[in-house]
């Protein structure tokens, strides 16, 4: 497996942004910028999205140790850690165009229940299958708290949970018995 798997959250963030950017270009016929932090210039037309990581929790699932066959031999890798990352996607544009961008974000991940990854992301994000992307609506009070915590103004936003796996770096070689000798002796008695 890929030794750079610790980059999984960065790659998830980039994949979310790339997916939003491609979907907006297709839906609106214009490039819409995706940023990973807020700045006041994002509100200028044609607008922009921000993809902000704002939470992490453990999740259940199959966390058995992993069997691997390598040129050096067989080994077990310690069980992976199963997580859910929470992202807030905010839409920045003059009103009501910001709501149009929110519609693009909603439809993008409604139609794509799994995160699309490419290149190095295949080995870090999708080594145990494509991560699921699950919508979670933000109520006003929670939205306000998230905006205050991230030091950004309120904007049309939606939250997403992305399930992912962190692969352990600890491995244990498997030692197989190559030959077994059995010696039988007659015991008098």
């Amino acid at each position: 497996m890929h030794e750079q798997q610790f980059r999984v959250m960065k790659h998830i963030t980039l994949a979310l942004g790339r997916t939003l950017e491609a979907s907006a270009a297709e839906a609106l016929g214009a490039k819409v910028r995706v940023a990973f932090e807020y700045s006041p210039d994002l509100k200028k037309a044609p607008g922009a999205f921000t993809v902000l990581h704002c939470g992490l929790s453990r999740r259940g699932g199959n966390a058995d140790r992993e069997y691997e066959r390598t040129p050096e031999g067989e080994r077990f890798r310690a069980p992976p850690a199963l997580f859910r990352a929470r992202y807030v996607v905010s839409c920045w544009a003059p009103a009501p165009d910001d709501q149009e961008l929110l519609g693009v974000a909603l439809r993008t991940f409604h139609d794509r229940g799994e995160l699309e990854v490419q290149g190095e992301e295949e080995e870090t994000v999708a080594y145990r299958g494509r991560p699921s992307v699950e919508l979670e609506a933000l109520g006003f009070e929670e939205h306000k708290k998230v905006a205050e915590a991230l030091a950004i103004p309120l904007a049309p936003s939606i939250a997403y949970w992305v399930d992912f796996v962190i692969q352990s770096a600890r491995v244990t070689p498997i030692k197989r018995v190559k030959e077994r000798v059995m010696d039988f002796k007659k015991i008098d008695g």
Side-chain angles (χ1 to χ4, degrees):
M1 291 296 150
H2 198 270
E3 297 303 321
Q4 302 299 315
Q5 209 265 330
F6 62 89
R7 293 186 171 127
V8 64
M9 291 183 58
K10 173 185 176 184
H11 289 170
I12 288 170
T13 303
L14 294 173
L16 286 169
R18 189 175 50 254
T19 303
L20 277 170
E21 190 173 57
S23 184
E26 180 183 318
L28 304 172
K31 182 177 168 106
V32 177
R33 180 176 161 203
V34 175
F36 302 105
E37 61 186 359
Y38 173 75
S39 67
D41 68 318
L42 295 175
K43 287 191 169 197
K44 297 176 185 170
F49 296 105
T50 52
V51 177
L52 306 170
H53 176 261
C54 68
L56 185 65
S57 66
R58 297 225 35 166
R59 66 178 173 88
N62 182 10
D64 292 334
R65 66 184 180 173
E66 300 171 309
Y67 170 80
E68 296 177 353
R69 185 175 291 228
T70 66
E72 295 82 35
E74 297 173 295
R75 64 186 185 183
F76 283 118
R77 184 173 295 278
L82 308 176
F83 288 101
R84 298 188 91 201
R86 188 169 191 221
Y87 289 87
V88 170
V89 174
S90 296
C91 306
W92 307 97
D97 292 341
D98 55 354
Q99 295 165 36
E100 182 178 49
L101 290 177
L102 180 63
V104 169
L106 287 167
R107 194 162 104 200
T108 296
F109 295 113
H110 174 68
D111 291 345
R112 294 174 180 93
E114 293 182 340
L115 193 60
E116 297 172 10
V117 293
Q118 62 189 26
E120 184 182 359
E121 296 167 356
E122 287 280 345
E123 296 176 27
T124 59
V125 176
Y127 90 96
R128 295 256 321 247
R130 301 243 182 261
S132 64
V133 181
E134 183 182 324
L135 169 73
E136 181 186 21
L138 284 171
F140 180 73
E141 287 303 316
E142 183 183 7
H143 189 182
K144 189 172 145 184
K145 287 178 184 176
V146 169
E148 287 174 6
L150 296 173
I152 62 174
L154 285 175
S157 301
I158 193 70
Y160 290 97
W161 286 100
V162 179
D163 291 349
F164 70 97
V165 178
I166 294 284
Q167 182 184 42
S168 177
R170 291 183 305 151
V171 294
T172 305
I174 300 172
K175 296 180 182 172
R176 301 274 184 198
V177 175
K178 293 184 181 185
E179 182 179 323
R180 187 167 92 180
V181 176
M182 296 177 71
D183 188 14
F184 295 97
K185 293 184 182 182
K186 184 177 179 183
I187 301 174
D188 292 327

